[in-house]
């Protein structure tokens, strides 16, 4: 894990424990993620993050709405993967970003308890994951 991600993880953990965010934490995250953080907060403001949980296992994935007019929905694991173009182009191929705006939106929503909770069967979750 990079030093930047270690700092971000520390901020996320503090936010999770308080279910709030301070101006200092936002400044740190903005320094690390720049415009992607701004875009992620817009997604969050529009209630664009769903946490889809399988039952009875409790396994989950996030579904995050994009910002374009088409309002695509991307499945993502905030710390590891997003199905969007930017994840593959900017993060995997070019290594220019730490994560995409959808991953950030999911991480923010999870830390602040601001996700829309959706419960499905483990079988339904498996079908959803098989489409990745």
């Amino acid at each position: 894990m990079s030093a930047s991600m270690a700092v971000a993880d520390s901020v996320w953990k503090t936010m999770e424990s308080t279910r709030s965010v301070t101006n200092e934490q936002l400044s740190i995250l903005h320094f690390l993620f720049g415009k992607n953080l701004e875009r992620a907060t817009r997604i969050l403001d529009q209630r664009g993050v769903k946490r889809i949980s399988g039952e009875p296992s409790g396994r989950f994935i996030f579904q995050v709405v994009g910002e374009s007019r088409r309002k695509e929905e991307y499945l993502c694991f905030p710390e590891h993967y997003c199905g969007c173009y930017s994840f593959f182009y900017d993060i995997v191929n070019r290594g220019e970003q730490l994560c995409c705006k959808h991953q950030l939106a999911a991480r923010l929503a999870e830390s602040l308890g601001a996700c829309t909770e959706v419960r499905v069967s483990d079988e339904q979750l498996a079908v959803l994951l098989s489409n990745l």
Side-chain angles (χ1 to χ4, degrees):
M1 174 186 307
S2 72
S4 296
M5 286 308 285
V7 170
D9 279 344
S10 173
V11 172
W12 298 128
K13 284 178 177 46
T14 304
M15 288 169 54
E16 285 172 14
S17 69
T18 62
R19 290 289 191 211
S20 63
V21 61
T22 65
N23 285 335
E24 180 183 1
Q25 290 165 329
L26 278 177
S27 293
I28 292 167
L29 293 174
H30 190 268
F31 177 79
L32 294 172
F33 301 110
K35 293 255 185 232
N36 273 350
L37 181 71
E38 295 169 28
R39 294 174 180 130
T41 58
R42 283 198 299 267
I43 291 169
L44 199 60
D45 287 344
Q46 296 170 1
R47 309 274 313 148
V49 180
K50 294 178 190 169
R51 184 178 189 263
I52 303 172
S53 302
E55 292 187 343
S57 72
R59 293 184 179 109
F60 62 90
I61 191 167
F62 290 89
Q63 188 174 49
V64 182
V65 175
E67 286 190 293
S68 73
R69 286 189 211 131
R70 294 189 309 264
K71 296 292 182 199
E72 307 95 339
E73 293 182 328
Y74 299 102
L75 294 176
C76 75
F77 295 101
E79 298 174 35
H80 306 290
Y81 170 83
C82 183
C84 74
Y85 176 79
S86 177
F87 179 80
F88 289 102
Y89 187 71
D90 294 329
I91 296 148
V92 176
N93 288 343
R94 295 170 57 192
E96 290 184 356
Q97 301 286 331
L98 295 170
C99 60
C100 71
K101 64 186 173 190
H102 309 108
Q103 290 173 289
L104 280 173
R107 198 74 197 261
L108 275 171
E110 183 178 35
S111 297
L112 298 172
C115 309
T116 300
E117 297 285 340
V118 178
R119 300 197 190 296
V120 298
S121 70
D122 282 332
E123 291 79 13
Q124 290 170 306
L125 185 62
V127 169
L128 194 62
L129 292 172
S130 72
N131 294 324
L132 291 178

